[in-house]
Amino acid sequence: MNVYDSDRMADVLAPLGYTSVDGPEDADMVILNTCHIREKAAEKVYSELGRLRQLKQARSETEPDRRGPMLAVAGCVAQAEGAEMLARAPFVDIVFGPQTYHRLPEMIAKAERTAERAAKPGGRNGSRGAGILDTEFPEEAKFDHLPNAQPKRHGASCTAFLTIQEGCDKFCTFCVVPYTRGVEFSRPGRAVLAECHQLVDGGVREVTLLGQNVNAYHGAAPGSGNWDLAELIAQLAVIEGLERIRYTTSHPRDMTDRLFDIHGTCAKLMPYLHLPVQSGSDRILAAMNRGYTAADYHAAVARLRQVRPDIALSGDFIVGFPGESEADFEATMELVDEVNYAQAYSFKYSPRPGTPAALLENQVPDDVGAARLQRLQELLNQQQQAFNQRMVGRRLPLLLDRAGRRPGQLVGRSPYMQAVHVDGGLNLLGRIVEVEITAAHANSLAGTLSPPQAAAPRRPMEPRMGRVS
Ligand code: SAH
Ligand code: SF4
């Protein structure tokens, strides 16, 4: 979601004349878009700010007539630390949270005025003065004030993220999201459709619907009532030229009957789902306030596999949650063994300020958490390797989304999000082609284009059904 937000910030800044540059050295403004989910991510912000401060100083020495780059910190660390951040890093010009970036032009104008005052005789020359802070959760929804989304600015232009839902009311005891992103909010269906049409008109073929709990989506329907995620997917599936739909991150508790069903009926919905479980122990799941048991999760997986037998799963795991015993951890290993993941993200529990779990007394020692993480990751890696190996000899449809490192090489994504390298001409970029998988490496696959498909004209995949009633 931070990638999507950063792109939208670029959209907001484009009318002011800003364009993206490759690195901070040449920039007139640098925005760090930050993540607070784990301590490690949050710590990185200050080390990065230290480097940017040096850059700013160096520029004021080499180019005394030019003010150093304006420095802004966005995202959830900015939201959580706000004024404290400005006190700790007074050289930062603007600090703003994830819900106020549509106000960037006003913030920049204010920061410019402050800097001009500081540059006047008697002012603090070269410095920008007091920083601007905006970490409100404003009444107005930022999406109503953002300019239309442009097709993806980073990397591939035939795939795009599209935020449809933000925030969370679930309050898992380990998680900062409800505090930093705010209450759950769904964008109206009409706005999502309009943004998707615009992306597809700009060449996008695959859209990933984003939300902290994307399957809790309940956006206003045009007219009256609400659309759930299944209905939204059905509405998007009829857009001609849109060939693949994905959604992330989904919560096991919000998998509805209609959502299960659409996995079996909508051909554009890719057979790959990220469904975080966090733990396989019911005791720990309850302490985390997840609202489901391991058996509920297994039932969801079974149902997905029943409606879409070729579906592959990825998940998130936390080890070393306070009070996690060896037996609790073994339950997680058993769950992983049974589910068999295609891919996964696993983390050592990180106590986050202001969350209930951070106050629990029975914190798991660091070395115990680290050892468990290593065991879990070994198992998950084995499963991922085995999944990739099973692709060898199969034919897969590939969306060719970028040029490879070697001339004449292209990289595409399989339905299961695997990167696949093939040889082919740049004219194939943005197309879906059939590929025979010839080898599986640690993090990617290799394949060969089948000549008849390589020459086929681009045609959108037909959905097996257009609407859910
Ligand atoms: N809404 C999603 C997850 C969003 S956060 C869900 O409920 O499943 C993304 C992932 O970060 C989580 O799935 C979790 O595995 C990890 N995470 C969140 N808070 C964490 C913490 N305090 N320590 C370690 N991992 C954490
Ligand atoms: Fe965080 Fe996800 Fe739990 Fe919400 S449901 S509190 S985003 S882990």
Side-chain angles (χ1 to χ4, degrees):
M1 190 171 283
N2 271 12
V3 172
Y4 175 87
D5 286 344
S6 299
D7 285 345
R8 300 312 313 269
M9 287 176 207
D11 294 339
V12 171
L13 294 175
L16 305 187
Y18 285 95
T19 55
S20 297
V21 289
D22 287 337
E25 294 73 23
D26 271 343
D28 294 313
M29 171 150 83
V30 178
I31 305 178
L32 288 187
N33 196 8
T34 62
C35 176
H36 203 235
I37 199 84
R38 284 173 297 278
E39 198 177 0
K40 223 174 173 178
E43 272 169 6
K44 273 192 197 159
V45 178
Y46 287 100
S47 55
E48 201 60 44
L49 278 175
R51 266 195 290 278
L52 289 170
R53 179 190 203 173
Q54 283 173 3
L55 180 90
K56 200 167 170 170
Q57 268 168 353
R59 197 183 291 172
S60 68
E61 281 158 23
T62 52
E63 298 175 74
D65 297 338
R66 186 178 168 202
R67 273 204 295 270
M70 187 180 282
L71 294 187
V73 184
C76 290
V77 180
Q79 185 67 41
E81 300 194 1
E84 198 186 320
M85 176 175 279
L86 281 176
R88 189 169 158 189
F91 52 92
V92 170
D93 300 288
I94 307 175
V95 171
F96 59 102
Q99 301 310 341
T100 52
Y101 63 74
H102 58 297
R103 297 174 175 172
L104 253 176
E106 290 118 272
M107 293 187 247
I108 292 172
K110 267 194 214 163
E112 286 292 358
R113 282 198 295 276
T114 313
E116 270 157 31
R117 275 200 300 275
K120 280 189 180 145
R124 288 182 297 147
N125 201 15
S127 128
R128 290 182 176 272
I132 311 295
L133 177 69
D134 191 349
T135 48
E136 259 190 79
F137 288 106
E139 284 289 305
E140 82 271 10
K142 73 173 174 244
F143 292 104
D144 297 343
H145 295 264
L146 290 172
N148 288 334
Q150 301 301 314
K152 202 166 160 147
R153 288 170 189 277
H154 296 299
S157 58
C158 61
T159 61
F161 291 132
L162 202 178
T163 293
I164 62 166
Q165 182 276 341
E166 251 197 281
C168 182
D169 296 337
K170 288 199 167 60
F171 292 93
C172 298
T173 53
F174 54 80
C175 182
V176 287
V177 168
Y179 311 98
T180 57
R181 286 266 171 184
V183 292
E184 199 182 303
F185 166 81
S186 293
R187 294 179 68 189
R190 197 195 297 276
V192 175
L193 287 186
E195 192 167 322
C196 193
H197 271 287
Q198 175 138 1
L199 291 168
V200 172
D201 289 347
V204 166
R205 298 285 161 257
E206 172 180 306
V207 73
T208 302
L209 307 175
L210 297 180
Q212 266 85 35
N213 274 298
V214 72
N215 52 343
Y217 177 80
H218 57 279
S224 64
N226 281 324
W227 282 347
D228 61 7
L229 182 60
E231 179 63 27
L232 182 71
I233 289 169
Q235 295 281 345
L236 293 170
V238 293
I239 297 179
E240 206 178 312
L242 179 64
E243 290 162 25
R244 291 177 162 192
I245 302 172
R246 304 177 185 275
Y247 63 89
T248 197
T249 294
S250 46
H251 193 292
R253 223 160 95 189
D254 292 319
M255 291 302 299
T256 61
D257 288 346
R258 288 158 55 88
L259 195 52
F260 281 120
D261 288 347
I262 200 165
H263 276 279
T265 53
C266 179
K268 290 187 182 182
L269 188 56
M270 289 293 97
Y272 179 80
L273 184 64
H274 184 62
L275 194 63
V277 63
Q278 314 300 353
S279 169
S281 153
D282 288 346
R283 212 173 64 82
I284 295 297
L285 288 170
M288 287 176 164
N289 191 30
R290 291 292 290 178
Y292 55 81
T293 60
D296 296 333
Y297 186 82
H298 280 301
V301 169
R303 187 142 175 211
L304 282 164
R305 287 180 168 154
Q306 186 199 346
V307 294
R308 186 80 210 230
D310 61 338
I311 202 162
L313 293 166
S314 83
D316 285 352
F317 299 87
I318 297 178
V319 299
F321 182 83
E324 185 187 68
S325 65
E326 208 50 43
D328 293 320
F329 174 65
E330 286 305 331
T332 301
M333 294 291 279
E334 267 167 42
L335 181 139
V336 172
D337 216 28
E338 259 178 71
V339 172
N340 199 4
Y341 288 89
Q343 216 219 322
Y345 302 89
S346 47
F347 314 100
K348 193 163 59 139
Y349 167 71
S350 166
R352 308 308 294 129
T355 59
L359 302 175
L360 295 173
E361 307 237 304
N362 45 359
Q363 301 286 325
V364 171
D366 231 35
D367 55 335
V368 175
R372 287 179 189 167
L373 185 63
Q374 198 185 339
R375 273 189 62 199
L376 175 63
Q377 288 184 338
E378 271 166 24
L379 178 59
L380 290 166
N381 281 341
Q382 277 168 21
Q383 294 189 345
Q384 181 175 342
Q385 299 306 320
F387 179 76
N388 286 346
Q389 275 300 336
R390 284 201 295 280
M391 298 293 132
V392 177
R394 277 185 58 178
R395 289 163 70 89
L396 291 177
L398 214 64
L399 173 57
L400 296 169
D401 60 0
R402 65 205 140 96
R405 281 207 202 119
R406 234 186 340 95
Q409 188 187 49
L410 300 174
V411 189
R413 289 273 164 193
S414 77
Y416 307 112
M417 290 295 281
Q418 295 143 307
V420 186
H421 293 86
V422 293
D423 286 336
L426 291 174
N427 60 322
L428 293 175
L429 279 182
R431 285 185 37 184
I432 292 182
V433 293
E434 284 278 327
V435 161
E436 183 173 333
I437 304 301
T438 51
H441 309 297
N443 294 307
S444 65
L445 304 176
T448 48
L449 285 171
S450 320
Q453 274 82 15
R458 183 158 82 196
R459 190 168 55 84
M461 283 158 68
E462 292 297 325
R464 270 181 258 153
M465 71 179 279
R467 287 180 56 84
V468 187
S469 56

